[in-house]
Amino acid sequence: MSGSGKAAPLSLNVRGTYLAFDLLTTGITRVIDFRTCPSIGHDLSQTDPDVVCNNLSEPLGLVVFAQPRKVNATSSDQYLCRLLLSTAVLNFPPPILTKWGLEEDDNALIQTGSKLQKLVNYLDGYSSSEQEDLVLIIDSYDTWFQLGPEVLIRRYFAVIQAADQTLEERVAPHIAKRHDLRHTVVFQSNKLCSPPDPRRVACWSVPMSTIQKDAFAFGPFDDNDLEHAMSDPIHARPRWLDSALVIGPVKDVKDIFSTVLVRGSNISASDQEIMGDMFGEQEYSRGLFAPAMLHPPLQDSQIPDFTEGQKTEYHMLVDYESALYQNVGSSKEFIEWLWFDGDKGQSREPHRAPLEDFHGYELPVDIADSSAPFSTAHLSRRSSYKDTEFSGYGKILTTHNTATDLPMKITWRDLPLATNLITKQVIPVISLGAEQGLRNEYWGKMWFFPFAKQLLRASKVSGEPIFKEPVNGRLWWNFDKPQSASEEEIARSTGNGPGGAWSDHGEWLDWERLCRAHEAKVFL
């Protein structure tokens, strides 16, 4: 969200946000990194950043870890390039790709352990003053951004604040404070418990979805019956932890992944299975303080047997309502691209009803107040504009045109946005999950797709802050680089070319090198 000041104040006070991407399916691990500096009430457009921030000698922003695929350890593909395009056009900082040029291990469990160890080692590099910074980890083959970092950051704070309030209502505030029961790490939700075994603590002991069942959101289906819900995920509410996406503070995410590494060294299990068990154990342990929270186990269910002093509280939470990210698996029937302009309200698909037929769907304030869709072109192209007409999505838009013929004047109300029809959330991050057959269809529906080539060419790496005013008491920046990057490589990265990425050893990898060969499959 931009510095409009319209959002309600949020209680959590963190120093910054890191986002980490971990693509287990493809062997790619990515980390996106946002940081802030401790300053309040300063407008950077009028103040020297070195005066208001103690740590601006190092530009900070997005980091992406990547483990290359076996086929060609130094090459990219169209799926990585689609993610890079979505980060570039939405003013995310350039990624950093780790293990660039190194081969994977043939043993999947060894490879997973190596990948997680690399992530933990990276997080170990942050100083004690940076432990409250956030990390987003994405373990998904096809993941794209639809909304910018302003919306994602705001919603993270809102989700954990709401969850903390609910927890205190259930166990009492003094118990939550005494035992440090709270939420900081938010995972993607799933309609399936994986691996699917209703006897697992990961499956039976976790909370029910916050989506109200009495509204018959997914039909008159009793998903309170565990075995029933697991047998028909399409009509069940999302309830279970999915490690494909997770966001949280450095120290808490590192704690979770370090624990996964230790457990994984003793058993043959995936990181998804281990994290699911950790969440189930956490919720079972919390339920001991409030027995009404506990769900009845099935016969022969796994009942945790904790040893004295065993750590069970990891501050884990699931994003049930897709406020941060949408898992398309078992949910494609409930996702639609909508316009939120009341005069032109219509669906992306001709056979769908116009928006006025969907009661209560309104463009969220955090999106309306965020940077305009084509703001990245404004950042890089400030020369002669002229009025023009642009034909897109079957309607004519009066626009502001740059040298790249982009419709500069249009707003989020003029564009189709992927929306969860049940929760009415406009989705910041889309993860296809098991629905890989929808790759090209969904990619072609992204709001920026008709303008992708022009918008990418008009975008550039920006050292400007994400917000002009402090958000949650901090200033946020959108640029980062490896510590080993030379001045020459930094200069290359800040040129006028389109978005690219960093290697972890400080080499700037421009779009030409990473993605030119894949443009036919990116721009279709």
Side-chain angles (χ1 to χ4, degrees):
M1 180 174 177
S2 65
S4 65
K6 293 183 179 180
L10 298 166
S11 62
L12 289 186
N13 187 24
V14 300
R15 187 174 174 277
T17 300
Y18 294 77
L19 305 181
F21 294 165
D22 171 4
L23 275 70
L24 178 60
T25 307
T26 60
I28 299 177
T29 305
R30 304 190 177 96
V31 174
I32 295 183
D33 176 358
F34 299 93
R35 290 188 189 176
T36 67
C37 57
S39 178
I40 299 177
H42 292 277
D43 181 354
L44 295 187
S45 65
Q46 302 176 11
T47 308
D48 183 348
D50 290 331
V51 175
V52 300
C53 186
N54 296 327
N55 195 28
L56 294 187
S57 58
E58 244 181 287
L60 305 168
L62 167 68
V63 179
V64 174
F65 285 144
Q67 289 180 315
R69 304 176 70 181
K70 298 177 184 177
V71 177
N72 189 336
T74 59
S75 68
S76 179
D77 60 24
Q78 67 266 34
Y79 307 114
L80 173 60
C81 292
R82 289 177 178 182
L83 173 65
L84 294 182
L85 189 149
S86 75
T87 60
V89 303
L90 283 159
N91 198 29
F92 284 90
I96 294 178
L97 312 180
T98 66
K99 301 189 74 173
W100 186 253
L102 300 180
E103 295 287 349
E104 293 179 322
D105 196 287
D106 290 332
N107 185 301
L109 291 178
I110 293 177
Q111 175 60 26
T112 297
S114 174
K115 172 192 62 180
L116 297 180
Q117 186 66 66
K118 185 73 173 180
L119 177 60
V120 170
N121 291 344
Y122 179 80
L123 298 178
D124 275 337
Y126 290 112
S127 67
S128 58
S129 65
E130 297 168 340
Q131 294 303 300
E132 293 298 322
D133 295 352
L134 299 174
V135 189
L136 169 66
I137 302 176
I138 298 180
D139 178 3
S140 176
Y141 197 76
D142 299 282
T143 300
W144 312 309
F145 289 98
Q146 177 178 232
L147 303 173
E150 299 151 285
V151 176
L152 192 66
I153 291 169
R154 287 285 190 188
R155 290 196 184 175
Y156 164 78
F157 294 128
V159 167
I160 60 176
Q161 183 183 33
D164 283 347
Q165 182 176 345
T166 299
L167 179 61
E168 289 187 359
E169 291 172 353
R170 292 177 175 176
V171 303
H174 71 281
I175 293 178
K177 182 176 181 179
R178 181 188 307 165
H179 298 281
D180 196 25
L181 308 181
R182 54 193 172 89
H183 302 94
T184 61
V185 183
V186 186
F187 286 81
Q188 177 175 251
S189 63
N190 201 321
K191 290 187 172 187
L192 283 171
C193 183
S194 179
D197 182 350
R199 298 170 300 175
R200 291 180 56 224
V201 67
C203 299
W204 70 264
S205 73
V206 299
M208 185 53 70
S209 174
T210 56
I211 300 173
Q212 295 300 310
K213 185 58 184 174
D214 55 11
F216 293 106
F218 298 98
F221 176 79
D222 182 16
D223 63 359
N224 290 300
D225 183 300
L226 182 60
E227 292 181 298
H228 197 187
M230 295 179 67
S231 68
D232 187 0
I234 292 177
H235 297 101
R237 289 172 290 177
R239 175 182 176 185
W240 291 284
L241 179 147
D242 189 330
S243 62
L245 292 103
V246 52
I247 184 172
V250 169
K251 64 177 182 179
D252 294 336
V253 171
K254 182 172 64 175
D255 189 20
I256 291 172
F257 279 84
S258 297
T259 302
V260 172
L261 279 171
V262 172
R263 291 194 180 192
S265 66
N266 298 321
I267 60 174
S268 295
S270 67
D271 49 353
Q272 162 68 40
E273 182 175 356
I274 295 173
M275 289 184 203
D277 287 342
M278 291 169 62
F279 183 48
E281 292 167 4
Q282 170 188 281
E283 296 307 306
Y284 181 83
S285 177
R286 288 177 172 183
L288 297 178
F289 297 112
M293 291 177 57
L294 286 174
H295 293 271
L298 300 175
Q299 187 176 3
D300 300 327
S301 289
Q302 299 172 0
I303 306 297
D305 183 16
F306 301 130
T307 59
E308 184 176 357
Q310 179 178 340
K311 180 179 176 64
T312 60
E313 178 60 44
Y314 291 95
H315 314 311
M316 301 166 83
L317 173 67
V318 169
D319 177 28
Y320 300 105
E321 300 184 21
S322 301
L324 303 179
Y325 15 67
Q326 174 68 58
N327 183 354
V328 180
S330 300
S331 293
K332 62 182 180 180
E333 294 84 359
F334 309 101
I335 300 169
E336 180 59 283
W337 271 256
L338 299 177
W339 277 292
F340 289 84
D341 186 325
D343 295 331
K344 304 168 185 172
Q346 55 186 302
S347 163
R348 182 78 167 95
E349 304 297 336
H351 67 278
R352 296 281 193 172
L355 183 58
E356 53 262 29
D357 289 348
F358 290 99
H359 177 70
Y361 289 81
E362 297 179 357
L363 185 69
V365 173
D366 58 0
I367 299 175
D369 285 351
S370 67
S371 298
F374 295 93
S375 60
T376 53
H378 275 298
L379 290 172
S380 59
R381 305 281 183 175
R382 303 183 184 274
S383 58
S384 58
Y385 296 110
K386 61 181 180 179
D387 290 326
T388 187
E389 296 286 322
F390 185 89
S391 177
Y393 308 117
K395 54 184 179 182
I396 302 296
L397 302 174
T398 301
T399 69
H400 226 30
N401 189 320
T402 68
T404 52
D405 294 325
L406 287 170
M408 305 298 293
K409 282 186 175 180
I410 67 174
T411 70
W412 293 109
R413 296 184 183 277
D414 300 308
L415 297 169
L417 299 174
T419 305
N420 185 310
L421 298 179
I422 304 301
T423 66
K424 300 181 181 179
Q425 292 281 6
V426 180
I427 306 157
V429 186
I430 299 174
S431 176
L432 293 185
E435 298 288 350
Q436 294 184 9
L438 295 174
R439 285 173 183 161
N440 290 342
E441 178 185 341
Y442 270 36
W443 180 245
K445 291 181 176 181
M446 298 299 290
W447 68 264
F448 49 75
F449 178 76
F451 323 96
K453 184 175 294 187
Q454 300 100 311
L455 187 53
L456 178 67
R457 299 293 183 258
S459 302
K460 62 175 288 187
V461 175
S462 171
E464 298 184 11
I466 296 173
F467 306 96
K468 290 185 178 180
E469 298 176 0
V471 171
N472 204 47
R474 298 294 183 267
L475 293 174
W476 298 70
W477 292 80
N478 65 352
F479 177 73
D480 205 0
K481 58 179 174 55
Q483 293 183 354
S484 57
S486 66
E487 292 300 323
E488 180 181 0
E489 292 298 305
I490 294 173
R492 290 182 60 227
S493 74
T494 56
N496 289 323
W502 289 98
S503 74
D504 60 341
H505 50 271
E507 179 185 7
W508 174 248
L509 307 169
D510 59 25
W511 179 271
E512 180 75 25
R513 176 175 175 181
L514 289 176
C515 299
R516 181 70 69 185
H518 308 293
E519 284 191 349
K521 295 181 179 179
V522 173
F523 301 128
L524 298 179

